[in-house]
Amino acid sequence: MARKTVRIAMNGVTGRMGYRQHLVRSILAIREQGGVALGDGDLLWPEPVLVGRRQHALKALAEQHGLEHWSTDLDAVLADPTIDIYFDAQVTSAREAAVRKAIAAGKHIYCEKPTATDLEGALELARLARAAGVKHGVVQDKIFLPGLLKLKRLIDGGFFGRILSIRGEFGYWVFEGDWQPAQRPSWNYRAEDGGGIVVDMFPHWEYVLHELFGPVRSVQAQVTTHIPRRWDERGEAYEATADDSAYGIFRLDGGAVAQINSSWAVRVNRDELVEFQVDGVEGSAVAGLRRCRVQHRAATPKPVWNPDLPTPEPFRDQWQEVPDNGEFDNGFKTQWELFLRHVALDAPWSWDLLAGARGVQLAELGLRSSAEGRRFEVPELTL
Ligand SMILES: NC(=O)c1ccc[n+]([C@@H]2O[C@H](COP(=O)([O-])OP(=O)(O)OC[C@H]3O[C@@H](n4cnc5c(N)ncnc54)[C@H](O)[C@@H]3O)[C@@H](O)[C@H]2O)c1
């Protein structure tokens, strides 16, 4: 059995996503399990090189996890021919320039969404990566969530019959930061720093809808900033210039309608922080991060509208839990393993920078739809 090393420059690992999901729960977890099996008995061994702006933070991270390699000099790391992959989980506004450099240096690319701050930039990254002949991918972690994997299983098994509609509810209360610290970074609430719930969440909704139900053909959105003033990491008040809530309606290929609310200014009265209800002629399902419950046509109650009496039926109890039928790993890690196999073995892979650009496109059209009070068709992207 041979161990083949793949060296990954990981930029933005001091951030929430870069650290928790990508470094600790993906790359370090892969190392803990011994690497990625390549199928012939060989193992792929990821070796992270931590990259960032703050020397002391990188050094501390490296020491904490027993890692040898870190640098504050991105250019030097990219000039190193032993680096195979450039990974980017920086703030969104810093991504495009860094990914361009990495493509120019001939590195394979894997990065967080959104891939750029506008569609032109996102498409250009996809074009450059294709022209350079490097492998490229974008994080699309939600499709690897247990709840959505079970939903996919239902769709593939024909449970729904014709799918009519999808209603998604995402959100929770993000504290303003004055009397309780905010649980998200302040740049998320400043448009000038790449923040906003539309650019953050519409890329997720694009691939979730596309992968499960089909391409989005039109978008109509109402976007707003419910909380205009927040307090940052230093306790200083700032104006929230970015949208914190978006109410979107998406028409899908084939005619199904998806309606998704995204908000950092709602309180949770749901079982999970995101839930999708799918209604089909033959049955319905409610899928969250981990759970998925169904109600079949044959087990559908017949409610009769009568507000003069208490609701006679326990509607929520009438749904049936979809069993796991397997073990679910962390979604970020699963996608990393697939990407590493794509790099090492040319294994099939569809979540590339063009797919990433589709997410940016939907966010851009959603914002325009709200600003102009119009519904937009979503043109198919090609390179
Ligand atoms: N896939 C997902 O579910 C998901 C969830 C949240 C965020 N994200 C994406 O991940 C990226 C990082 O988000 P996060 O929540 O981890 O952010 P964060 O603020 O916690 O981390 C940002 C990282 O970027 C670095 N950085 C580089 N240039 C910077 C600059 N000019 N100003 C501030 N920081 C700078 C920081 O040092 C830090 O390492 C974003 O693009 C975001 O859209 C993805």
Side-chain angles (χ1 to χ4, degrees), residues 130-143:
R130 178 176 288 190
V134 297
K135 303 242 170 46
H136 46 103
V138 61
V139 174
Q140 301 201 334
D141 52 292
K142 304 295 177 262
I143 44 181

Side-chain angles (χ1 to χ4, degrees), residues 11-19 21-22 51-54 57-58 88-95 112-115 139-142 184-188 193-194 199-201 204 207 233 332:
N11 199 359
V13 278
T14 57
R16 286 186 324 147
M17 299 311 293
Y19 178 67
Q21 297 298 349
H22 294 289
V51 182
R53 301 167 304 159
R54 289 173 295 141
L58 289 173
D88 192 299
Q90 296 187 93
V91 287
T92 305
S93 55
R95 180 160 307 121
E112 263 295 353
K113 45 52 63 182
T115 54
V139 174
Q140 301 201 334
D141 52 292
K142 304 295 177 262
R184 294 181 60 89
S186 60
W187 68 264
N188 282 188
D193 292 337
V199 297
D200 194 7
M201 297 315 295
H204 288 300
Y207 67 74
E233 289 76 4
F332 291 88

